[in-house]
């Protein structure tokens, strides 16, 4: 779910947040919505995705008035028992625990926290998306879990409602965040082509140059937010989150 390094190329633009952006945007979301001020972090020190998000999170946290009271880690060699880390985070008084890693390990963390009666807010990123479909996972453990995601299918804005209905009619299933990303990507290309005034008489090179410039000048009112791009290809948009309630994702309304 994260933009790869290919956005290093000048003609490449991403719709979804890069790994570092996810850390920054998570801190921004937690601060902006005043979810908590004392933050504990547990991350996978052996994983590039997890470490990248962790590093950008701790950089942005102080800007958002967040105090990191505990930082704990695990590695690929030791990812089944999180009791000591959770105990340390709890003893430090963390009100919210940031979990920037994948749902398989997160499921164990939630179970072990429950067993020790520790119930802070747990907050994850796109690697958490899928936990509710995990085989044999007790969904009640994820009650109240929050995760950064650009799209919630149950949101009530007109744009989302129309998209979800059209998608369900066509494919007989509810769209997930990646469907919404793709939709916004196609409309970004359309908008940029219109802005660049692309016509059949132009050469491939002319079209490419015009599109590159146009991408930095458009604003897409998308399903995943209002998106603009700078030359580095990374998207600029508001962070959004969902919360698990009664075993399914609910958009978090202010």
């Amino acid at each position: 779910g994260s933009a790869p390094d290919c956005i290093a190329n000048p003609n490449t633009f991403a719709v979804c947040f890069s790994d570092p952006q996810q850390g920054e945007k998570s801190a921004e979301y937690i601060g902006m919505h005043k979810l908590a001020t004392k933050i504990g972090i547990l991350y996978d020190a052996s994983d590039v995705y997890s470490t990248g998000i962790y590093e950008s999170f701790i950089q942005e946290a102080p800007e958002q008035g967040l105090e990191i009271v505990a930082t704990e880690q695990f590695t690929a060699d030791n990812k089944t028992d999180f009791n000591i880390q959770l105990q340390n985070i709890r003893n430090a008084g963390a009100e919210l625990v940031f979990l920037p890693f994948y749902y398989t390990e997160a499921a164990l963390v939630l179970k072990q926290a429950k067993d020790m009666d520790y119930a802070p807010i747990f907050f994850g990123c796109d690697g958490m998306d899928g936990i509710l479909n995990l085989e044999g996972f007790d969904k009640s453990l994820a009650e109240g879990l929050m995760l950064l995601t650009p799209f919630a299918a149950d949101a009530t804005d007109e744009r989302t409602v129309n998209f979800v209905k059209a998608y369900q009619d066509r494919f007989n299933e509810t769209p997930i965040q990646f469907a919404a990303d793709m939709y916004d990507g196609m409309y970004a290309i359309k908008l940029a082509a219109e802005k660049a005034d692309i016509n059949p008489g132009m050469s491939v090179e002319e079209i490419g140059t015009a599109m590159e410039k146009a991408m930095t000048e458009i604003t897409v009112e998308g399903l995943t937010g209002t998106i603009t791009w700078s030359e580095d290809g990374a998207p600029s948009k508001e962070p959004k989150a969902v919360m698990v309630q009664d075993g399914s994702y609910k958009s978090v309304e202010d």
Side-chain angles (χ1 to χ4, degrees), residues 32-80:
M32 199 163 67
H33 296 269
K34 302 200 174 352
L35 299 181
T37 51
K38 293 185 183 306
I39 313 294
I41 306 174
L42 176 62
Y43 75 102
D44 182 348
S46 64
D47 179 61
V48 174
Y49 167 82
S50 190
T51 306
I53 296 177
Y54 157 73
E55 285 169 353
S56 60
F57 183 90
I58 58 169
Q59 207 171 337
E60 179 64 23
E63 304 290 324
Q64 299 295 334
L66 307 179
E67 184 195 348
I68 305 215
V69 294
T71 302
E72 294 287 325
Q73 47 177 249
F74 62 93
T75 64
D77 304 330
N78 183 11
K79 57 177 188 182
T80 52

Side-chain angles (χ1 to χ4, degrees), residues 55-117:
E55 285 169 353
S56 60
F57 183 90
I58 58 169
Q59 207 171 337
E60 179 64 23
E63 304 290 324
Q64 299 295 334
L66 307 179
E67 184 195 348
I68 305 215
V69 294
T71 302
E72 294 287 325
Q73 47 177 249
F74 62 93
T75 64
D77 304 330
N78 183 11
K79 57 177 188 182
T80 52
D81 184 356
F82 304 99
N83 281 291
I84 292 171
Q85 291 98 319
L86 285 167
Q87 208 67 59
N88 291 344
I89 291 170
R90 172 157 78 177
N91 293 345
E95 305 151 336
L96 180 149
V97 183
F98 184 49
L99 308 174
F101 47 89
Y102 295 98
Y103 56 79
T104 25
E105 289 81 31
L108 297 173
V109 170
L110 295 177
K111 170 83 174 77
Q112 290 164 21
K114 175 81 190 252
D115 289 345
M116 61 167 71
D117 287 328

Side-chain angles (χ1 to χ4, degrees), residues 143-155:
E143 193 67 18
L145 170 73
M146 297 184 74
L147 61 129
L148 195 74
T149 177
F151 175 75
D154 74 318

Side-chain angles (χ1 to χ4, degrees), residues 36 185 228:
T228 58

Side-chain angles (χ1 to χ4, degrees), residues 239-252:
K240 297 184 197 174
V242 290
M243 181 186 278
V244 177
Q245 283 176 332
D246 302 323
S248 64
Y249 292 149
K250 298 284 187 291
S251 48
V252 184

